[in-house]
Amino acid sequence: MWWPPWSSSLSESLTPSDPPSPPKKSSSSWSSPSPPNHWTHYTTPEVLIPTAILTSTILISTRLYKLYLRRIPGATTISTSFWRKRSLFGTVTSVGDGDGLRLFHTPGGRLAGWGWMPGRAIPKGKALKDNTISIRLAGIDAPEGAHFGKPAQPGAQEAFDWLTAYVNHKRVRAYIYKKDQYDRAVATVYVRRWLLRRDVGLQMLKKGLATVYEAKSGAEFGDLEDKYRRAEGWAKLREKGIWAPSKTKFESPREYKSRTGHV
């Protein structure tokens, strides 16, 4: 009897003509280099479709941000493609005179978190410097305030006080038309009063607080000139504000500017 018992079968199985087979190598290995120019994996629908969706989403989001959610700090930074095509929503931070104000642009309004989300508060005081848009109300001319040592026109303080009470620290929408020589955005401004949207310039004309803007060139009304002239005529007929009998010697803002050398 052979010992160990299996030595006979082992010796019979291992013959010179039939050597033992070496262990098989794994068909793949982490260290094995990938075949050169093997791009077929990246052209499958499983890869291409998610990549296309992600890229499109990023491009569209960037475009929407630039058009609707990017904050504009001043009139000089308004894109030329915005004039006459876009409106700006924001909060009035101050009133400069009877037909001018400053707007802190809050794109998206409260839906975008302005006024209630952290980091979305409207600044105050010195923090507003270089962060507001100077707005000139389109189509109207309020009596001139005191400038460069010259006295204010009659009605200037009334126009300033009314405009301050009507829009200061309130949310408004400005439809912008152009930038004037003083880097102000000439715009029609709307504010909500008692759930109704009011054209600020039109209300001033109706109350006799301003005249229709008269100039040899550069007057801007949007498409509201006829409406504004009718409102001025209505105020004259009813002797409102600057058209009252007590102001028979009233000098229009345009006449005042021409006489005093203001542009």
Side-chain angles (χ1 to χ4, degrees):
M1 181 176 180
W2 296 94
W3 186 261
W6 56 82
S7 61
S8 174
S9 58
L10 178 61
S11 59
E12 291 175 356
S13 61
L14 295 179
T15 61
S17 61
D18 190 16
S21 300
K24 293 184 179 180
K25 294 183 179 180
S26 175
S27 59
S28 61
S29 173
W30 285 106
S31 61
S32 300
S34 300
N37 301 325
H38 185 63
W39 297 103
T40 56
H41 171 73
Y42 301 104
T43 58
T44 60
E46 292 82 359
V47 174
L48 288 178
I49 293 175
T51 301
I53 293 174
L54 178 61
T55 303
S56 300
T57 301
I58 293 173
L59 293 176
I60 292 172
S61 299
T62 303
R63 179 65 174 169
L64 290 175
Y65 172 80
K66 289 182 177 180
L67 286 177
Y68 301 107
L69 296 175
R70 181 177 63 88
R71 209 187 77 77
I72 299 173
T76 56
T77 60
I78 297 176
S79 170
T80 54
S81 63
F82 278 29
W83 301 112
R84 299 185 181 279
K85 297 178 182 179
R86 293 287 311 282
S87 65
L88 302 177
F89 185 79
T91 297
V92 177
T93 58
S94 65
V95 173
D97 53 26
D99 47 34
L101 53 90
R102 284 197 167 273
L103 177 76
F104 183 85
H105 184 215
T106 57
R110 294 186 66 81
L111 290 176
W114 288 104
W116 60 274
M117 279 184 64
R120 288 280 181 168
I122 297 172
K124 297 179 181 179
K126 294 182 179 180
L128 287 169
K129 185 180 180 181
D130 300 326
N131 275 308
T132 58
I133 302 170
S134 182
I135 300 284
R136 172 65 162 85
L137 295 179
I140 72 166
D141 213 0
E144 290 293 309
H147 291 296
F148 308 110
K150 297 181 175 63
Q153 280 189 274
Q157 190 62 45
E158 289 87 340
F160 172 79
D161 291 343
W162 183 90
L163 185 60
T164 300
Y166 202 66
V167 302
N168 200 28
H169 304 307
K170 293 181 174 62
R171 292 189 292 271
V172 301
R173 184 170 294 279
Y175 290 83
I176 56 176
Y177 303 127
K178 68 177 183 179
K179 184 178 67 174
D180 70 4
Q181 67 269 36
Y182 302 109
D183 286 336
R184 300 175 298 185
V186 181
T188 299
V189 175
Y190 291 87
V191 63
R192 289 204 175 271
R193 304 285 294 186
W194 309 110
L195 301 179
L196 297 176
R197 195 174 79 149
R198 301 289 190 182
D199 178 342
V200 177
L202 182 64
Q203 297 303 311
M204 294 191 71
L205 289 170
K206 287 181 176 180
K207 294 180 180 297
L209 295 168
T211 68
V212 169
Y213 189 85
E214 301 286 358
K216 295 180 180 179
S217 62
E220 184 58 67
F221 296 89
D223 56 356
L224 299 169
E225 183 174 1
D226 291 342
K227 191 174 184 179
Y228 277 22
R229 293 194 181 280
R230 288 196 301 270
E232 183 187 65
W234 185 91
K236 284 182 179 180
L237 185 64
R238 288 162 177 78
E239 299 178 336
K240 295 278 189 178
I242 57 179
W243 311 113
S246 61
K247 296 185 174 66
T248 52
K249 295 182 180 181
F250 172 71
E251 183 180 33
S252 73
R254 173 48 49 190
E255 292 169 340
Y256 174 84
K257 292 172 187 175
S258 297
R259 179 174 62 82
T260 60
H262 285 71
V263 177

